[in-house]
Amino acid sequence: MSLDVSPQLLAEAEKGAVREEDFVETVRTSLPYAYDLVARLAVELRGGTAEFADNQTPPPSERERGQLLRALSSDAIRGSLERHFGVALAFQNCHRVAVFPPQARGSETYTRFTSTRAQILNQSPEFRDC
């Protein structure tokens, strides 16, 4: 299971719309490694001059890697994180997450980072099973 959903949030969802703040809080508490990584990268992006900020350090364990994969493979979770932090997320290699300003989607740098060429160049045998 990806998220630890509280009975209150489940009841809210059963009645209709869910407040995004409540959903993001559930993501934060359920997937803390993924949430904190995106938060750190968002701060790094805003504080720097680079076109994007990215993580190239593998997660400390398979548990954290699993959190990252669950967060970025869910459209709802990924979209909520993007809106919450005001970024566009890009993802490679089971741990290389990048944040871009939202308006960078379609830019040369974003397109290069998310290209099939970049994906191929960022492969190595140790990533085979991640």
Side-chain angles (χ1 to χ4, degrees):
M1 187 163 49
S2 293
L3 299 175
D4 297 321
V5 178
S6 70
Q8 296 85 358
L9 188 59
L10 180 58
E12 188 178 328
E14 288 171 345
K15 291 178 186 175
V18 172
R19 288 177 357 117
E20 185 149 55
E21 297 84 12
D22 295 337
F23 183 69
V24 169
E25 179 60 17
T26 298
V27 171
R28 186 188 69 75
T29 58
S30 300
L31 307 171
Y33 176 81
Y35 181 94
D36 291 345
L37 179 59
V38 174
R40 179 180 58 79
L41 293 172
V43 168
E44 187 179 319
L45 177 67
R46 285 188 196 86
T49 58
E51 293 181 73
F52 67 94
D54 68 327
N55 174 66
Q56 295 188 35
T57 304
S61 75
E62 289 306 308
R63 179 182 174 130
E64 286 84 2
R65 185 184 316 280
Q67 287 184 30
L68 193 57
L69 292 173
R70 287 193 303 278
L72 294 171
S73 65
S74 164
D75 290 338
I77 296 171
R78 185 179 181 144
S80 288
L81 289 173
E82 286 179 327
R83 289 185 295 278
H84 180 72
F85 290 110
V87 298
L89 290 167
F91 186 50
Q92 294 177 350
N93 291 348
C94 21
H95 68 266
R96 188 168 183 206
V97 178
V99 296
F100 290 80
Q103 65 275 17
R105 282 191 177 101
S107 70
E108 182 180 333
T109 303
Y110 183 88
T111 300
R112 185 174 41 247
F113 186 91
T114 60
S115 71
T116 54
R117 179 176 186 266
Q119 184 67 44
I120 290 167
L121 293 173
N122 280 288
Q123 298 303 300
S124 67
E126 62 265 17
F127 298 143
R128 193 66 48 116
D129 293 326
C130 69

